[in-house]
Amino acid sequence: MSSLRPVSGTAEEIRALLLAWDAAPDPPPLVIETSGSTGRPKRVVLSRAAMRASALATIARLGGPGTWELNLPPSYVAGVQVIYRSIVSPGDRRYLSLVPTQLVRRVEDPALLAYDAVLVGGGPLDPRIRRQAEAFGIRVVQTYGMSETCGGCVYDGVPLDGVALKIDAEGQVLVGGPVLFDGYEDEPARTASVLQNGWLLTNDLGRLDEDGRLQVLGRIDDVIISGGVKVPPVAVARQLQSHPSLEAVEVVGVPDPEWGERVVAVVVGAVSLDELRDLVTPREWAPRELVFVSELPLLDNGKVDRAAVRELAR
């Protein structure tokens, strides 16, 4: 059965519901049920005002109204936004949203040249893949966001118009602005733990470059403590990706009697441990073990299944 509380159904059914929702004088918010890839699942409450603010800011940033091709599950926030943007601001331009794995598989697909922009979000994008796609002529826009921000709210490190960013004393990324969610359905305590004084506590570690662009370093709850050193796995994986023989990599921590947690790189490709360790600074972050796989496990929404990666590393 199709519904907007939570969003469910086929793409055609959800589009019909969103058309009526957008045209209604004062509709109730829709609800996105998350996959639980970074914790237990949540029901994220999103108002029409927040969804509109996100959709219109996206169109303004990309250069104008257009149609969107759906290549993502329609019940997740990225898929819902693809449908909703086409409703709010249709036009002649063409846009596409992908997760990094999808771009990897289509990095030199001539069909992607027909799009005015290809948005890539939902996880880290290998810089080599981006350079390869752009050299082929594809306009790649890397996005950062979550269900609680109506999807992507930072494009290529720069927040959308109206979106505010700051880094707190612990290095956590905070997001403010009209794209924020109303809360978690029937979970006021959980809402209060992340929505404080108009700011969303994202639980992501990040920093702002000298030009003010956001760099996401990983999850606060995903930091590896190895020999007393805090190791951000996303930052380590980003450095490892520079190896030309590495097709894909995830970095995780596994229990270790000596180090507390051992830094392990789960990799697709023909590389040696010493080669990869030499790529990492500071040296204390370098992986101490490699696990070779033919491909990384994925969730239904295309994101890497971190829990499954940890099991492989064990």
Side-chain angles (χ1 to χ4, degrees), residues 77 159 165 181 259 283:
V77 69
L165 280 181
F181 75 134
W259 297 97
R283 186 70 172 187

Side-chain angles (χ1 to χ4, degrees), residues 61-148:
R61 177 63 56 84
L62 295 179
T67 58
W68 291 74
E69 180 180 321
L70 183 65
N71 270 264
L72 301 168
S75 59
Y76 292 129
V77 69
V80 172
Q81 274 290 25
V82 164
I83 299 170
Y84 189 61
R85 290 172 193 144
S86 291
I87 291 172
V88 171
S89 190
D92 295 332
R93 295 170 69 85
R94 295 185 65 195
Y95 301 115
L96 178 66
S97 283
L98 301 175
V99 296
T101 303
Q102 291 172 315
L103 181 61
V104 168
R105 293 171 179 171
R106 301 181 62 182
V107 68
E108 292 189 355
D109 182 353
L112 297 188
L113 298 175
Y115 295 95
D116 293 276
V118 176
L119 275 62
V120 182
L125 174 62
D126 186 337
R128 293 176 304 167
I129 296 299
R130 177 169 188 161
R131 289 193 296 269
Q132 184 180 351
E134 290 177 335
F136 190 67
I138 300 167
R139 180 192 173 193
V140 176
V141 178
Q142 189 170 359
T143 71
Y144 166 76
M146 55 215 70
S147 297
E148 291 86 343

Side-chain angles (χ1 to χ4, degrees), residues 63 69 93 110 115 123-124 161 195 212-213 220 253 255 283 298:
E69 180 180 321
R93 295 170 69 85
Y115 295 95
D161 293 346
L195 202 55
R213 290 179 182 267
I220 288 176
R283 186 70 172 187
L298 302 177

Side-chain angles (χ1 to χ4, degrees), residues 17-36:
L17 292 171
L18 287 173
L19 275 167
W21 184 72
D22 187 62
D26 186 23
L30 58 78
V31 175
I32 300 289
E33 192 165 47
T34 72
S35 64

Side-chain angles (χ1 to χ4, degrees), residues 148-251:
E148 291 86 343
T149 61
C150 295
C153 63
V154 178
Y155 284 19
D156 287 334
V158 179
L160 295 176
D161 293 346
V163 175
L165 280 181
K166 67 179 180 180
I167 308 297
D168 70 11
E170 286 71 43
Q172 180 178 201
V173 179
L174 274 58
V175 179
V179 300
L180 293 189
F181 75 134
D182 288 350
Y184 299 118
E185 187 175 49
D186 300 327
E187 293 191 85
R190 193 177 194 183
T191 299
S193 71
V194 300
L195 202 55
Q196 299 178 9
N197 300 316
W199 292 94
L200 172 67
L201 283 60
T202 65
N203 208 31
D204 286 325
L205 291 170
R207 66 185 178 201
L208 298 177
D209 287 348
E210 57 277 358
D211 60 358
R213 290 179 182 267
L214 175 67
Q215 278 196 9
V216 178
L217 303 176
R219 300 285 295 176
I220 288 176
D221 55 5
D222 198 25
V223 170
I224 303 165
I225 310 297
S226 185
V229 176
K230 293 182 179 180
V231 181
V234 171
V236 175
R238 188 178 293 125
Q239 295 183 56
L240 299 180
Q241 285 167 345
S242 65
H243 194 289
S245 298
L246 201 61
E247 297 177 33
V249 58
E250 284 289 317
V251 175

